[in-house]
């Protein structure tokens, strides 16, 4: 089956620093990847849609300059939280989809727990 | 507007009892519906998608377009079914659109 690898699983950083989260599709090509944020005991909120070779599409209310997304290849998308603040502390999850109608549908990474101190 | 509604935050049943997790959706076109499960400390996993019409771990879900529902059912719940269940929707017809999630239902199966 399809596997999406997300790293790191947990990161603690100081306020004002930047953190990069990687999301890789291991055995399929993902032209589209999605980045979600999940607050405790809440559902996943879509932050942005990442398309290989083009600019990401951000959801309303998500600061594109703060959450930089790069989808440089068909198997890798990165999310960089710039100048992190404590309110950015959250659980970030990436998802990748194989081709439309493909067998895997949407596959999720294991998530990254970001704590900004 | 596209929306997925899971009316129950928590559903608690005894082992062996039937379980039904409700999901209603709002979508103007022909959506693709999914159920995802998240066990404690694990990633989201696909449980069912309506286009495959499979039965996974004894769970089934039927898309009812008239009632715009995609309820998840299992005739005999097991303790290992305890988890968070999310109903999700994606635009069909060739769309590469994102998944829209419901708020999730926590299923607790008691011994």
């Amino acid at each position: 089956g399809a596997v999406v690898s997300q790293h790191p699983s947990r990161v603690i950083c100081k306020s004002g620093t930047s953190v990069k989260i990687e999301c890789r599709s291991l055995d399929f090509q993902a032209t589209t990847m999605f980045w979600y944020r999940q607050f405790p005991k809440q559902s996943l909120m879509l932050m942005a849609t990442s398309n290989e070779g083009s600019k990401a599409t951000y959801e309303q209310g998500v600061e594109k300059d703060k959450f930089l997304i790069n989808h440089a290849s068909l198997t890798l998308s990165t999310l960089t939280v710039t100048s992190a603040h404590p309110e950015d502390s959250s659980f970030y999850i990436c998802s990748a989809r194989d081709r439309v109608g493909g067998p895997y549908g949407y596959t999720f990474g294991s998530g990254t727990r970001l704590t900004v101190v | 507007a596209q929306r997925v509604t899971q009316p129950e935050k928590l559903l608690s049943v005894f082992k062996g009892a039937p379980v039904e997790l409700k999901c209603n959706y709002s979508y103007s076109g022909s959506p693709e519906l999914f159920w995802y499960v998240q066990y404690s400390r694990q990633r989201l996993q696909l449980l069912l998608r309506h286009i495959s019409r499979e039965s996974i771990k004894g769970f089934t879900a039927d898309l009812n377009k008239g009632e715009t529902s995609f309820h998840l059912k299992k005739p005999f719940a097991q303790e290992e079914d305890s988890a968070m269940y999310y109903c999700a929707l994606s635009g069909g017809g060739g769309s590469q659109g994102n998944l829209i999630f419901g708020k999730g239902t926590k299923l607790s199966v008691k011994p």
Side-chain angles (χ1 to χ4, degrees):
Chain A
V3 176
V4 170
S5 174
Q6 185 174 344
H7 291 284
S9 59
R10 191 181 297 267
V11 59
I12 301 173
C13 71
K14 289 185 177 180
S15 188
T17 61
S18 296
V19 172
K20 180 185 283 189
I21 303 169
E22 288 191 352
C23 180
R24 292 180 186 273
S25 58
L26 296 188
D27 46 9
F28 66 99
Q29 293 185 334
T31 54
T32 305
M33 291 187 176
F34 306 95
W35 288 96
Y36 294 86
R37 186 170 177 175
Q38 187 178 30
F39 292 101
K41 300 189 178 182
Q42 294 190 29
S43 189
L44 285 76
M45 299 297 295
L46 180 68
M47 297 175 65
T49 302
S50 168
N51 297 294
E52 186 267 337
S54 64
K55 290 184 178 180
T57 303
Y58 289 82
E59 295 299 298
Q60 193 171 13
V62 177
E63 298 176 59
K64 58 182 69 175
D65 294 331
K66 179 164 194 60
F67 299 99
L68 300 179
I69 291 173
N70 188 331
H71 194 154
S73 75
L74 285 171
T75 59
L76 173 65
S77 176
T78 61
L79 168 68
T80 301
V81 183
T82 62
S83 187
H85 290 285
E87 57 264 31
D88 298 325
S89 298
S90 191
F91 194 57
Y92 294 88
I93 304 172
C94 73
S95 170
R97 180 165 193 174
D98 65 339
R99 60 180 173 81
V100 174
Y104 304 128
Y106 298 83
T107 304
F108 287 83
S110 54
T112 298
R113 173 78 58 197
L114 171 64
T115 304
V116 185
V117 297
Chain B
Q2 303 171 21
R3 187 169 55 244
V4 177
T5 303
Q6 292 179 252
E8 301 137 331
K9 272 189 175 181
L10 173 66
L11 185 61
S12 185
V13 301
F14 286 102
K15 177 183 174 182
V19 63
E20 180 180 66
L21 288 82
K22 290 184 168 51
C23 172
N24 288 88
Y25 66 90
S26 173
Y27 188 78
S28 57
S30 297
E32 193 173 354
L33 274 297
F34 304 82
W35 275 100
Y36 281 86
V37 59
Q38 188 173 31
Y39 299 102
S40 180
R41 299 183 183 278
Q42 294 188 29
R43 72 181 69 194
L44 273 167
Q45 303 173 33
L46 178 64
L47 183 62
L48 285 176
R49 53 195 304 190
H50 89 272
I51 61 172
S52 61
R53 302 183 66 82
E54 294 175 298
S55 172
I56 305 295
K57 300 184 179 182
F59 285 97
T60 59
D62 289 318
L63 179 62
N64 186 321
K65 292 184 178 181
E67 295 182 359
T68 59
S69 68
F70 189 56
H71 303 326
L72 183 68
K73 300 177 184 179
K74 185 169 182 176
F76 308 104
Q78 303 298 316
E79 289 180 68
E80 54 265 30
D81 295 329
S82 296
M84 278 295 294
Y85 290 81
Y86 293 96
C87 182
L89 172 157
S90 173
S95 166
Q96 276 282 1
N98 58 282
L99 278 174
I100 299 167
F101 285 90
K103 292 185 183 294
T105 297
K106 184 174 182 178
L107 175 63
S108 175
V109 182
K110 299 177 181 177

